[in-house]
Amino acid sequence: MLKKILKSYDYSIVIVYILLCLFGLVMIYSASMVVAVQRYNFESNYFYVKQVKSLILSFIAFFITAFLPYKMYKSNKFLGLMMLVSIIGLAGIFVFGHVSNNAQSWFRLGTSSIQPSEFVKLSVIIYLSAVYAKKQSYIDQFNKGVIPPLLFLIFVCFLIAIQPDLGTASIIFAIGLTIILCSGMKLKTMMKLFGLGLLVVLILSPVIFLKKDQIFSETRIGRFTGFMDPFATKAGEGFQLYNSYLALGSGGIKGLGLGQSVQKLGYLPEPHTDFIMAIIAEELGIFGVAFVLLGLSYLVLRGIYIGVKCRDPFGSLLSIGISSMIGIQAFINLGGVSGLIPITGVPLPLISYGGSSLLLLSASLGVLVNVSMFVKYEEKYKKKQENTTMQKTSINHRGFKVH
């Protein structure tokens, strides 16, 4: 039995995941050397060592979730506990949280930090997938099938937004909407939902107007002005994007060589986190960028394929939710680095420095591998049954095989 299960695992996801993690580790060391020396008394490998520790824990989490049957996550006890822990974690941030970059989003544990909003991403995916899978028989009943899970999503996004961390809140809300769109609701129900959302925005418009100075702070407005014309504001709001452009343009096809980036020498802030793709482009050129894009694209498309092939509604929505999380986060990061959208401070999946993000993505991909294993196992079992049925039908009424 164990041998059959091991044969059914999707090793392509495992290989791509490991390659991206190891590539990210190398680039984190290269991108962070100067920043580490400046901040931590000539310890050039400071961020690298911390990421190695996070990677070991992430590999363990990946293989644990890849082994555990994904269907255990939809039990009422597990969902209730997961929701409770998520809300307590997000609420506890306001009491015990550590402030960094004007946001109170981390728990400080010695020299390490944990960002609970990262793990809430997977909690929201599991919760919405499980609830909408159970509500398939009455999913178009607005009050009973649509609204209750949506209220939980909005409440969680609200707790994250007031930290304030609008980037993570937006990602979680977008992931939730993706799961809702794929849940099997009729177009009529979705239009009602859209109308309700528009009504809520109109009702809250006066509040937004009164609080505009707090909601639209100088920093947030600066991100838009810097995004619109980074060359005109390169000494101020457009500083990050301007230097990102210089890094992207300097790499060319072959790049300047591993470790040879100029923009990481104090010009580009946080080169090992939000702007690591700019350093990859500068040092490794189009080939390094292509490697990352192809790897992430494969994980996203493979997740969607697994979701389409899975006959279990919960497994299908789970796969789509996980792949959408990777795709949305990658788009926001790459969009900010390339100037397609304003900079939001979202890390690049599996590549950027950050233990919480890496651990969450690893656990999520482990779940995706487990769903894929069940899909493959069911396909093999179904094919075996079909072959058995064909053999039986090939025997005539006298008991002889028809040739």
Side-chain angles (χ1 to χ4, degrees):
M1 181 66 181
L2 181 61
K3 190 177 180 181
K4 289 181 180 179
I5 292 175
L6 291 174
K7 282 185 177 180
S8 300
Y9 273 107
D10 195 332
Y11 290 103
S12 64
I13 295 178
V14 179
I15 292 170
V16 172
Y17 158 72
I18 292 175
L19 287 177
L20 285 175
C21 286
L22 295 178
F23 179 81
L25 189 63
V26 172
M27 292 311 305
I28 285 168
Y29 179 68
S30 176
S32 68
M33 285 189 295
V34 176
V35 178
V37 169
Q38 290 174 342
R39 296 181 188 175
Y40 300 101
N41 299 324
F42 301 98
E43 292 184 31
S44 61
N45 64 344
Y46 177 83
F47 293 106
Y48 171 78
V49 171
K50 292 192 71 175
Q51 191 71 1
V52 168
K53 294 176 182 178
S54 298
L55 188 58
I56 293 170
L57 290 175
S58 298
F59 279 164
I60 294 171
F62 174 82
F63 288 108
I64 288 175
T65 54
F67 180 77
L68 294 175
Y70 76 90
K71 293 183 180 180
M72 65 177 284
Y73 303 130
K74 67 178 180 180
S75 67
N76 292 330
K77 288 183 179 179
F78 181 85
L79 290 175
L81 179 62
M82 184 184 66
M83 291 168 62
L84 181 63
V85 170
S86 298
I87 292 172
I88 290 174
L90 292 176
I93 258 314
F94 299 105
V95 181
F96 305 104
H98 169 71
V99 179
S100 178
N101 296 327
N102 299 319
Q104 193 169 353
S105 304
W106 290 266
F107 286 121
R108 196 78 173 174
L109 298 175
T111 58
S112 301
S113 298
I114 296 177
Q115 189 175 3
S117 58
E118 284 292 331
F119 300 99
V120 170
K121 291 177 185 176
L122 184 57
S123 298
V124 167
I125 291 171
I126 293 173
Y127 172 74
L128 292 180
S129 299
V131 171
Y132 283 121
K134 292 176 181 179
K135 294 176 180 289
Q136 288 296 304
S137 58
Y138 53 91
I139 198 167
D140 288 302
Q141 294 181 22
F142 210 69
N143 295 333
K144 190 178 178 182
V146 180
I147 296 299
L150 193 59
L151 291 176
F152 174 72
L153 174 64
I154 292 171
F155 181 62
V156 164
C157 290
F158 171 76
L159 289 177
I160 296 171
I162 61 177
Q163 291 178 0
D165 187 357
L166 296 179
T168 303
S170 301
I171 290 173
I172 292 175
F173 192 71
I175 294 168
L177 289 182
T178 303
I179 294 173
I180 291 170
L181 289 172
C182 298
S183 63
M185 292 180 192
K186 293 179 181 178
L187 181 61
K188 185 179 179 181
T189 307
M190 291 183 185
M191 293 304 293
K192 286 182 181 179
L193 195 59
F194 176 76
L196 181 63
L198 190 61
L199 180 63
V200 171
V201 171
L202 290 174
I203 293 171
L204 293 176
S205 294
V207 178
I208 294 173
F209 180 78
L210 291 173
K211 299 287 185 179
K212 61 181 180 179
D213 293 334
Q214 297 178 17
I215 297 172
F216 304 106
S217 62
E218 290 184 9
T219 304
R220 295 192 180 104
I221 293 174
R223 289 178 180 177
F224 280 93
T225 55
F227 153 72
M228 295 300 292
D229 194 354
F231 294 97
T233 58
K234 62 183 180 182
E237 296 89 350
F239 180 76
Q240 288 180 307
L241 186 55
Y242 171 76
N243 284 283
S244 178
Y245 280 158
L246 290 180
L248 292 170
S250 301
I253 296 176
K254 295 182 180 180
L256 302 179
L258 185 63
Q260 302 302 312
S261 167
V262 175
Q263 295 305 309
K264 71 182 180 184
L265 304 177
Y267 298 104
L268 190 61
E270 307 300 330
H272 56 300
T273 55
D274 305 341
F275 286 90
I276 195 167
M277 181 55 93
I279 305 301
I280 292 171
E282 187 180 9
E283 293 189 348
L284 302 180
I286 196 170
F287 296 106
V289 173
F291 176 81
V292 175
L293 292 181
L294 288 173
L296 292 174
S297 298
Y298 179 82
L299 293 178
V300 173
L301 294 175
R302 187 65 183 172
I304 294 172
Y305 174 80
I306 293 167
V308 171
K309 295 287 288 183
C310 186
R311 292 182 292 176
D312 174 29
F314 175 57
S316 179
L317 291 175
L318 203 55
S319 301
I320 291 170
I322 291 170
S323 60
S324 70
M325 173 178 65
I326 297 171
I328 291 167
Q329 189 165 317
F331 172 78
I332 292 176
N333 175 273
L334 297 173
V337 170
S338 60
L340 290 175
I341 60 175
I343 298 166
T344 56
V346 172
L348 185 62
L350 304 177
I351 305 296
S352 292
Y353 171 80
S356 296
S357 177
L358 182 60
L359 186 59
L360 171 275
L361 289 165
S362 299
S364 302
L365 284 169
V367 174
L368 182 62
V369 168
N370 190 263
V371 176
S372 177
M373 183 269 290
F374 272 93
V375 170
K376 276 190 174 183
Y377 188 77
E378 286 178 354
E379 283 182 348
K380 288 180 181 179
Y381 181 74
K382 184 180 177 182
K383 191 174 181 180
K384 186 177 180 181
Q385 278 190 324
E386 288 176 351
N387 291 336
T388 304
T389 304
M390 288 177 66
Q391 287 178 0
K392 288 181 180 179
T393 54
S394 67
I395 300 175
N396 62 12
H397 65 281
R398 293 181 180 179
F400 296 100
K401 289 186 178 180
V402 178
H403 297 284

